[in-house]
Amino acid sequence: MPESEAGAESDPPPIQTDAPRRLDIIDLLRGLVLVLMVLDHTRDYFNKDALAFDPLDLEKTTPVLFFTRWITHLCAPTFVFLSGVSIFLQQARGKTEWRLTGHLLARGLWLVALELTLISFGFNFGYPFFFLQVIFAIGVGMILMAVLHWLPGRSVLIIGIALVAGHGLLGGVKAETLQGTDQVIWRLAMEPGGLGSLPGMIVYPVIPWLGIMCLGYGLGFIFQLEALSRRRAITLLAAGFLGLFLILRLPNLYGDQNPWEWQSNPGLMVLDILNVSKYPPSLDYTLLMLGLAMCLCLTLTHLPRLFQLPLLAFGRTPFLTYLLHIYIVHGGALLLGLVQGIPAAHFANFLGNPGQLAKDGWGISLWQVYVVWLVILCLLYPVSRAYARFRMTHRQWWLSYL
């Protein structure tokens, strides 16, 4: 199905405005990673093994559990990369420098505020507890891009390459060697971990993820190309990312703080090679995940319309879908726990004390997690689809913030 026709039979035509037409190739990719993110968080809150061990631990995991977790590594870098692409496209389509600066500052501050409040509470059901994840990284990245977008696109791309490829060189600096405010600043900028005396943790430090956003901005021109030229450029980009990953990863040259090791069988060796570091995102991780994301760009527009429609609905309403899924997943776990006789209080402060639920024997099997995941997607789809249709026919300023 041609990209311009995806969803045409079910979605109303947009009203005539000066707003730019959305690119289905971007919305489909964003929608897919949202679907995968829902799977990851459903596993986090429902799976009995999630509280017991890391699913990427080769000594304890199974191949299905490993790939259930590993495939969701696509989510964060794709979101952040596409945020950079979106900023480039806004500028390229006529949003003036000062107007774009104001928009990025306002939206970035809005995202940070929501991460500190509604989102952190949704994940933890306890407050205050600041759980700084991908929305925080995108929000701060937008604030910094309010300045960086004044530079030529090539310069921003070079900054992105330097940050993605070079931040690992600072791995020798450890937060525990710093004190007080210096430690918190280093955590926020470079190293995941606790926030000192502040309640909470940062999982997505700003600098490495800003690099990925700069890559998206610097490569955003690819998505302006005519469809055939765009596919060729994305193909070359995917081949470049994946080829460089193999060059660096297979001989353990550079790019990941956890080199792979020889295993007892070839299958485990493949898993170990693929087991790249996300916290913070290593160069190998970024190359592999963005390479796979570009491959998906080439295939998603060929999906049957039946499968494209939910992806487009989620991809056109990314923030609302993201926010809703947190409360549905965590709230659903709480309700199922109540049915099983587990006190609601044990689901509060989930991030601060997950061991309590492990003591309660909470959790379901992995195949049951997949069933719950599909149910949650079915609950999200009509809401996301209705809001996507509303956004297509309305242009109020506040719609860009939700």
Side-chain angles (χ1 to χ4, degrees):
M1 179 183 298
E3 178 184 340
S4 61
E5 296 176 5
E9 296 181 18
S10 63
D11 291 328
I15 59 175
Q16 297 300 315
T17 71
D18 295 331
R21 183 177 65 85
R22 298 185 68 97
L23 288 174
D24 285 349
I25 192 171
I26 293 177
D27 287 335
L28 286 167
L29 182 57
R30 189 185 285 120
L32 176 64
V33 294
L34 272 164
V35 166
L36 294 176
M37 183 173 287
V38 175
L39 172 61
D40 193 35
H41 293 151
T42 303
R43 180 195 56 78
D44 279 335
Y45 285 93
F46 282 87
N47 182 226
K48 59 185 178 182
D49 293 329
L51 301 174
F53 60 86
D54 181 355
L56 300 179
D57 184 342
L58 298 184
E59 295 182 358
K60 298 178 180 179
T61 193
T62 65
V64 175
L65 180 59
F66 179 94
F67 281 108
T68 299
R69 169 56 177 152
W70 180 86
I71 193 63
T72 63
H73 278 353
L74 276 166
C75 301
T78 305
F79 271 134
V80 176
F81 181 85
L82 291 181
S83 295
V85 172
S86 177
I87 294 170
F88 174 87
L89 292 178
Q90 289 180 64
Q91 187 174 44
R93 288 165 172 170
K95 187 167 282 189
T96 61
E97 281 81 357
W98 283 111
R99 185 181 171 202
L100 182 57
T101 294
H103 173 74
L104 291 174
L105 285 173
R107 184 162 175 79
L109 290 170
W110 170 245
L111 292 178
V112 170
L114 288 177
E115 182 83 307
L116 294 172
T117 53
L118 282 178
I119 297 173
S120 288
F121 179 80
F123 275 109
N124 194 48
F125 280 4
Y127 197 79
F129 188 94
F130 304 120
F131 190 42
L132 307 183
Q133 293 196 97
V134 66
I135 299 300
F136 175 81
I138 292 175
V140 176
M142 286 184 171
I143 294 170
L144 296 174
M145 285 298 299
V147 176
L148 292 175
H149 83 87
W150 289 84
L151 298 174
R154 183 174 297 177
S155 298
V156 179
L157 178 60
I158 292 172
I159 291 172
I161 293 172
L163 293 179
V164 169
H167 76 86
L169 296 174
L170 299 175
V173 180
K174 297 299 181 183
E176 56 263 25
T177 65
L178 305 174
Q179 301 292 326
T181 303
D182 290 341
Q183 184 183 87
V184 174
I185 291 174
W186 182 253
R187 293 256 189 228
L188 291 172
M190 290 293 296
E191 184 181 344
L195 297 174
S197 60
L198 297 174
M201 68 180 76
I202 180 163
V203 188
Y204 289 71
V206 171
I207 298 302
W209 294 98
L210 173 64
I212 297 175
M213 184 176 289
C214 289
L215 288 183
Y217 181 90
L219 296 170
F221 70 92
I222 289 175
F223 294 87
Q224 278 192 304
L225 300 174
E226 178 270 330
L228 182 58
S229 298
R230 182 173 64 224
R231 291 186 66 83
R232 290 172 177 168
I234 292 174
T235 301
L236 290 174
L237 192 60
F241 281 143
L242 295 177
L244 185 54
F245 164 77
L246 292 174
I247 291 171
L248 294 175
R249 182 65 171 167
L250 292 183
N252 279 327
L253 283 180
Y254 173 77
D256 201 277
Q257 56 265 42
N258 295 317
W260 63 273
E261 300 175 350
W262 290 93
Q263 301 293 329
S264 58
N265 65 69
L268 284 176
M269 192 173 299
V270 170
L271 296 186
D272 202 11
I273 292 171
L274 295 176
N275 191 14
V276 285
S277 302
K278 180 181 179 181
Y279 304 108
S282 68
L283 172 59
D284 287 354
Y285 165 89
T286 302
L287 291 171
L288 177 57
M289 295 305 150
L290 290 184
L292 293 176
M294 294 304 99
C295 290
L296 289 170
C297 264
L298 300 172
T299 60
L300 290 174
T301 53
H302 296 292
L303 286 175
R305 171 176 160 275
L306 178 65
F307 295 103
Q308 285 195 23
L309 291 178
L311 298 183
L312 287 170
F314 297 143
R316 289 169 178 168
T317 59
F319 186 71
L320 178 67
T321 302
Y322 178 86
L323 185 61
L324 287 177
H325 100 272
I326 298 168
Y327 282 87
I328 292 175
V329 170
H330 197 173
L334 186 152
L335 292 176
L336 184 58
L338 290 177
V339 172
Q340 296 181 3
I342 299 175
H346 291 187
F347 286 88
N349 195 28
F350 179 87
L351 300 170
N353 185 27
Q356 179 59 58
L357 287 175
K359 294 176 183 177
D360 294 331
W362 162 250
I364 59 179
S365 66
L366 189 58
W367 75 265
Q368 291 172 318
V369 166
Y370 275 89
V371 173
V372 173
W373 168 58
L374 293 175
V375 170
I376 292 172
L377 291 178
C378 289
L379 293 174
L380 285 169
Y381 174 56
V383 179
S384 298
R385 181 173 179 269
Y387 186 58
R389 296 184 63 164
F390 180 82
R391 290 187 65 175
M392 290 177 70
T393 54
H394 296 77
R395 298 299 176 191
Q396 288 90 340
W397 64 269
W398 55 267
L399 290 174
S400 65
Y401 291 86
L402 187 59

